[in-house]
Amino acid sequence: TFLDRFIAANQEQFPYASGELSQLLRDIALASKIINKEINRAGLVGIEGEVGNKNVQGEDQKMLDMVAHIRFERALCNGKQTCGILSEETDAIIDTKNHQAKYVVSMDPLDGSSNIHVNMPVGTIFSIFRRKSPQGTPPTEEDFMQKGIQQVAAGYVIYGTSMILVYTTGFGVNGFTYEPSLGEFILSHPDIRMRPDGITLSVNQENYNTFPAGVKSYLDYCKKERYKTIYAGALVADFHRNLFTGGIYLYPPSEKYENGKLRLLYECMPLAFIAEQAGGGSTNGQLRTMEIQPTSKHQRSPLFIGSKNMVGRVTDFMVASK
């Protein structure tokens, strides 16, 4: 089943929509095809290095970060189904001038871009909400300050040995693999389910000494149980592996990042939506990620996400340490 046909066949899941959400998902798929092409030739055309600027997070911007941002901005503006975009690469909300559109999109255009020069997987993460502001008016910050439970769709694209688009609209999780010779995404992983338990741990052990006591205790427990530690340094890559094989990804608070490093709106919440729809779980250590009320556009949050039993276990360790 091609992506377009799958989306069209499932439009009845949205009684309030009349094709706009379906088109928006197609626009994201189109932009991801362009990004995939750029990534595949990055080393040949010299766009795998740094721009020399820092983004709103204070992180060094890679050339491909900006390429991905521009490609997605153009696709979403031209597609006319979103009135506003929030991107990791810009401080302000992007007004697409499509003020009649019903939706807003939050996204990390290229997650893990520091992996590009060593040919490791990178990805795109996106989240879609119905706007709060009246149609016909410019987008507002309020449109994006919604809890994860209010998402109408979320997904990610992983650019690796093959390009895979995984998304949910609240009716399960499906994965589509890109077939280059046809130029189409084909349903390859229907109704993805995450194992309730696993033995894979994705965490930056370098920060162990600065983690909260409960997290240290959990990591000690995992070591005793001989869990495997596999950390790619790209959230999409680690999450994707754990989604299919079972495991947990952790980015706790630390000495350097007291509130965690990952961004709530366009990293934590969309992946939490996918995890829950696949039978997994996600928390910031205290609250279910999907229930956190955002208070700022680029808000950071701790993240513990993956197999349901593993997320429950690390939460127990954190509660017991208080």
Side-chain angles (χ1 to χ4, degrees):
T1 303
F2 290 162
L3 176 64
D4 280 2
R5 291 178 183 173
F6 183 87
I7 291 172
N10 289 278
Q11 281 194 95
E12 71 277 359
Q13 294 173 345
F14 306 97
Y16 53 79
S18 52
E20 296 97 332
L21 181 59
S22 298
Q23 183 57 52
L24 180 48
L25 289 168
R26 292 188 192 101
D27 295 337
I28 290 171
L30 172 62
S32 69
K33 293 177 188 178
I34 299 170
I35 299 304
N36 188 55
K37 185 177 179 181
E38 299 282 10
I39 289 171
N40 288 340
R41 65 193 188 102
L44 297 175
V45 296
I47 56 171
E48 56 183 357
E50 295 179 356
V51 177
N53 301 326
K54 293 186 181 295
N55 64 15
V56 65
Q57 319 297 330
E59 300 164 344
D60 291 326
Q61 279 184 325
K62 306 293 187 292
M63 284 185 253
L64 269 170
D65 285 325
M66 290 311 300
V67 169
H69 168 82
I70 291 166
R71 296 300 190 192
F72 275 105
E73 180 181 349
R74 286 178 182 170
L76 294 174
C77 286
N78 292 336
K80 302 186 184 303
Q81 305 307 325
T82 179
C83 66
I85 305 166
L86 177 63
S87 168
E88 181 185 20
E89 302 307 324
T90 60
D91 185 15
I93 292 165
I94 298 167
D95 183 348
T96 66
K97 308 302 181 184
N98 302 316
H99 295 163
Q100 291 298 328
K102 298 177 182 177
Y103 300 101
V104 295
V105 176
S106 302
M107 65 170 20
D108 182 350
L110 197 63
D111 167 72
S113 56
S114 60
N115 282 345
I116 286 286
H117 71 291
V118 290
N119 206 29
M120 288 178 66
V122 294
T124 294
I125 310 172
F126 63 90
S127 175
I128 302 173
F129 287 93
R130 280 179 67 87
R131 66 186 299 177
K132 291 287 188 182
S133 55
Q135 280 183 258
T137 63
T140 66
E141 189 166 317
E142 181 191 12
D143 293 325
F144 295 89
M145 297 298 105
Q146 302 187 54
K147 293 182 179 180
I149 54 174
Q150 294 169 291
Q151 293 173 99
V152 295
Y156 66 85
V157 182
I158 184 166
Y159 311 100
T161 50
S162 59
M163 176 169 60
I164 300 177
L165 166 64
V166 175
Y167 82 93
T168 182
T169 53
F171 297 89
V173 181
N174 292 283
F176 299 79
T177 300
Y178 183 61
E179 214 313 310
S181 65
L182 297 174
E184 297 281 358
F185 281 101
I186 298 174
L187 180 63
S188 53
H189 301 84
D191 193 24
I192 299 168
R193 303 298 297 171
M194 183 178 280
R195 295 177 185 176
D197 247 315
I199 59 168
T200 301
L201 193 66
S202 303
V203 62
N204 186 352
Q205 295 275 11
E206 181 184 358
N207 297 322
Y208 174 90
N209 290 331
T210 69
F211 287 154
V215 177
K216 288 181 181 177
S217 296
Y218 176 70
L219 294 179
D220 291 342
Y221 161 82
C222 292
K223 187 175 181 180
K224 188 183 298 183
E225 293 296 315
R226 303 179 71 84
Y227 283 17
K228 296 186 298 182
T229 300
I230 307 176
Y231 184 66
L235 173 59
V236 165
D238 285 313
F239 178 82
H240 182 75
R241 181 187 56 251
N242 293 341
L243 177 64
F244 284 93
T245 64
I248 185 170
Y249 176 95
L250 300 86
Y251 211 114
S254 64
E255 196 173 89
K256 185 176 181 181
Y257 298 106
E258 293 182 6
N259 297 312
K261 181 184 179 183
L262 302 174
R263 270 63 60 158
L264 177 63
L265 282 169
Y266 42 83
E267 291 178 317
C268 301
M269 291 201 312
L271 294 186
F273 192 14
I274 294 170
E276 289 194 3
Q277 283 294 311
S282 180
T283 177
N284 67 354
Q286 299 179 20
L287 296 172
R288 174 187 171 209
T289 303
M290 294 278 281
E291 291 280 3
I292 301 171
Q293 175 62 57
T295 56
S296 62
K297 300 191 298 295
H298 299 286
Q299 181 176 337
R300 296 180 188 265
S301 172
L303 182 66
F304 305 85
I305 188 170
S307 294
K308 193 169 187 176
N309 293 344
M310 299 180 79
V311 172
R313 198 169 295 120
V314 70
T315 303
D316 290 342
F317 272 96
M318 294 185 73
V319 170
S321 71
K322 291 186 177 180

